[in-house]
Amino acid sequence: MSIRSITFSLLLAALAPAFAATVSFPDFHQAKQQAKTDNEPLLILWYGSDWMQDCASVVQAWEKFANDGKLPIVFGQYNDKTGQTSDERRKNQNEIGIEQYDLPAAVLLAPDGTLMATWNGKDVRKPEGLAKDVAALIPKAQQFMKLAATARDRGGVEGAQAAGAALKLIPYADARRHKELTGIINRKDPDNKTGMRALFAMDHQAMYKEINNILNGGPDGKLKDGARNFDEAARYVQATMRNSGIEKGNKALTETRQQWLAGLAYVYREKFKATKDEKDRKRLLDTLAACVKLNPKSQYGIGAAKYHHYWDPKSFTVIDNMFYNPGDQTHNFEKDWHVLVSKSMDGSGTYEFELVPRENGRLITRNFRLVVNGREVAKADAAPDKDTKKVTFKVPAVKKSDKVEVWLTAECRDGWFGCSGEIKMTKIR
C-alpha cells in the first residue's frame, strides 16, 4: 500500500518527513476526499504544532511506518491560523471527535472517507502498539464502508441494523462516539426494535427520558395523581438489555451495561419512594451493587456506590477530619454520621460541639449522641427532633486508645451547592 501524497501546503516542513505532506487540522474534508480518490483507508496523524513540546519525536517515531508503506499514513499539523472561524473549527472538531488539546491524535478513515476510529495522547506516542490496532482494522474497512452506505440508503430498521453492524466492526468507544452512524440509528429505529439504539446511540439522558415517559404513561403524561407505571418501566429496561445484548457481553460493553443498570435502579428507587416497600428497597440495593461490581472505578460505578450508601439503612457516613463536604451528604433524606472527636479532645470535661456551615448550605441535623467504643454514653441536651447546630456533652475520662465519637442524624437540603463546613469542638470546662 503506497503512502499518500497530499498536495496541501507544508505547514511545518522542518518537522515533517521529507516524503510526507501535511494537513492542517481543520481541513478534515480534504483528507476525506483523498481517501475517496485513492479508494483505500487513510490514517491521519496530527502531531500538533510548535506549542506541542514533543511533536518532532512523535513524527520521527512514526517515520518508519510511513516509510515501509504498510500503513496508509499522512501527517497533519494542527494550525489554528487557517482563516476559519471558531464555529467552523468546532464543527470540524466535533465531526472528527477530537480537539486541539487531544493532540497528538490519529484518525482512521474508510475508503469513502467515513470515520472509523480515533486515538490520542499516549496511544499515538506508542506507535508500535497503535500500528497493530490500525493494521487489524484496515481489512475491515471495505465491509465497514459498504455497511455504512447501506445504513444511509435503507430506511427504517434495516438502515439502523446496517449502521449497528458497521459499528460492531470498530472499537466500541469509537462506535459510541460515531455521530453519523449513531444518528442514523436514532432516526431510523427510534423504538429500538433492533437493539442498536440502546447498544450504541442512547446516552444516559435519552435513556432517562424514555424511562420517565413510561413511568408517566407516555410523553403527554396521561397518568394523574402521582400514579406511575413502575413495573412497566422495569420491564422496558430489562427487555432493552436483553434485546441489545447489553445484559451479557465483552468488557468493552461494561459501561453501557452500567448505564442501563443505573436506569433500572432509578425505577426501583422511584417505586420505593412511593411504596416504602422493603422489597423495592432490596431490588434497588441489589441493582446498585451489581452496577458497582462491573467496574467500581467508572463514573457509573462510583455513582452507584454512593447511592447504595445513601439508600442502605445500615450504612452511615464517617467524618474523621472535622470537616464535612458535599460528598459526605445525602440530599433530601437522612443518614447517620459518625464524627470522630478523639483527636480533638483534651481530657474529660464539658465540650461544646458545633457545626459551622459554609456557603449557607442547608444542613439539617438532630439526634446527637456521645459514643465511646461504640457504646452510647450520653445524649445532647437539645430536643432530638429539632434542627440543632450546637450541643453540649459531658465527656467522661477515657483512655488514649478509646474511640470517642459524636453520632448524629443529618440531611442536606441544598441541591445546588451542597452542604459543607467545619465541625468545631470546644472545651468549656
Side-chain angles (χ1 to χ4, degrees):
M1 188 174 293
S2 62
I3 300 172
R4 307 298 191 272
S5 58
I6 299 181
T7 58
F8 301 152
S9 60
L10 296 181
L11 300 174
L12 196 60
L15 288 176
F19 51 81
T22 60
V23 186
S24 70
F25 181 84
D27 289 328
F28 180 51
H29 293 286
Q30 295 182 38
K32 289 176 67 172
Q33 187 57 48
Q34 184 68 35
K36 291 179 182 180
T37 299
D38 291 348
N39 194 32
E40 290 183 3
L42 178 69
L43 180 69
I44 309 170
L45 284 161
W46 274 294
Y47 56 84
S49 184
D50 51 2
W51 47 262
M52 196 178 91
Q53 186 175 4
D54 57 350
C55 63
S57 61
V58 169
V59 172
Q60 290 167 3
W62 278 94
E63 273 190 303
K64 65 176 182 179
F65 296 100
N67 276 324
D68 63 21
K70 293 181 179 179
L71 293 179
I73 299 174
V74 295
F75 290 81
Q77 178 205 2
Y78 184 89
N79 181 1
D80 58 4
K81 298 178 181 178
T82 57
Q84 290 188 328
T85 66
S86 58
D87 286 342
E88 289 171 332
R89 287 199 301 273
R90 191 178 300 111
K91 179 180 178 181
N92 280 285
Q93 291 171 3
N94 286 340
E95 182 175 355
I96 300 165
I98 57 176
E99 296 184 15
Q100 169 183 349
Y101 305 105
D102 294 327
L103 300 182
V107 174
L108 180 65
L109 302 178
D112 65 349
T114 303
L115 183 68
M116 288 187 68
T118 62
W119 301 268
N120 57 51
K122 62 181 181 180
D123 292 326
V124 180
R125 290 186 173 92
K126 297 178 180 179
E128 288 78 11
L130 180 51
K132 291 179 181 178
D133 292 341
V134 175
L137 282 173
I138 283 177
K140 303 176 182 179
Q142 290 289 342
Q143 184 184 4
F144 176 85
M145 178 180 66
K146 291 176 182 177
L147 286 168
T150 300
R152 297 183 193 103
D153 295 341
R154 303 286 172 86
V157 295
E158 192 175 354
Q161 190 70 51
L167 292 175
K168 286 182 177 180
L169 296 175
I170 63 178
Y172 186 66
D174 287 297
R176 292 274 289 181
R177 294 193 300 261
H178 203 293
K179 293 182 182 299
E180 182 194 9
L181 294 179
T182 57
I184 288 173
I185 292 171
N186 272 323
R187 291 194 306 274
K188 298 186 178 183
D189 187 16
D191 297 326
N192 196 38
K193 294 178 180 178
T194 63
M196 296 303 176
R197 185 164 182 244
L199 186 59
F200 296 117
M202 196 182 300
D203 62 22
H204 67 275
Q205 290 180 326
M207 177 192 71
Y208 283 118
K209 183 178 179 180
E210 297 269 343
I211 291 172
N212 281 317
N213 281 344
I214 296 171
L215 285 173
N216 297 324
D220 55 351
K222 293 179 180 178
L223 296 182
K224 305 298 181 184
D225 301 322
R228 287 191 288 176
N229 291 328
F230 297 114
D231 293 340
E232 186 178 338
R235 284 193 294 270
Y236 163 74
V237 175
Q238 292 162 338
T240 298
M241 293 180 72
R242 289 192 300 271
N243 184 39
S244 61
I246 295 171
E247 195 172 38
K248 297 178 182 178
N250 60 43
K251 191 175 181 180
L253 302 181
T254 293
E255 190 160 322
T256 302
R257 287 203 295 278
Q258 286 183 300
Q259 171 188 319
W260 283 89
L261 282 172
L264 184 60
Y266 170 73
V267 175
Y268 290 144
R269 186 194 78 180
E270 292 301 293
K271 188 177 182 184
F272 172 67
K273 285 166 63 177
T275 65
K276 299 298 189 283
D277 187 332
E278 287 301 320
K279 292 180 181 178
D280 292 322
R281 189 206 294 263
K282 186 177 186 305
R283 293 186 184 98
L284 165 62
L285 294 175
D286 288 348
T287 304
L288 290 170
C291 185
V292 175
K293 186 177 180 180
L294 283 172
N295 181 3
K297 295 183 179 179
S298 74
Q299 58 175 333
Y300 290 105
I302 293 170
K306 185 174 182 179
Y307 277 98
H308 190 283
H309 166 74
Y310 283 1
W311 290 100
D312 184 355
K314 298 178 181 178
S315 70
F316 54 85
T317 298
V318 176
I319 306 291
D320 61 3
N321 60 1
M322 305 303 282
F323 178 82
Y324 62 93
N325 59 53
D328 299 322
Q329 307 307 318
T330 52
H331 285 262
N332 300 317
F333 58 97
E334 297 180 334
K335 179 66 65 178
D336 264 13
W337 282 11
H338 291 189
V339 182
L340 183 67
V341 297
S342 305
K343 299 175 183 178
S344 303
M345 284 180 52
D346 182 21
S348 61
T350 301
Y351 287 81
E352 183 179 79
F353 182 79
E354 181 181 6
L355 278 80
V356 181
R358 292 186 179 180
E359 307 296 340
N360 297 314
R362 292 181 295 155
L363 182 66
I364 309 301
T365 54
R366 63 181 186 84
N367 193 23
F368 286 75
R369 294 142 284 162
L370 181 67
V371 178
V372 179
N373 296 329
R375 183 174 64 89
E376 183 181 306
V377 298
K379 290 184 178 180
D381 55 7
D385 59 344
K386 296 291 181 65
D387 178 21
T388 307
K389 294 294 182 289
K390 185 184 296 186
V391 296
T392 301
F393 282 120
K394 290 183 179 180
V395 179
V398 294
K399 300 176 184 177
K400 287 186 177 181
S401 58
D402 287 340
K403 185 178 182 180
V404 183
E405 299 171 292
V406 171
W407 291 5
L408 62 138
T409 304
E411 175 186 347
C412 183
R413 295 184 181 175
D414 189 338
W416 184 252
F417 292 106
C419 304
S420 63
E422 180 185 1
I423 301 166
K424 294 179 66 175
M425 186 176 182
T426 306
K427 189 172 184 180
I428 301 173
R429 54 185 179 276

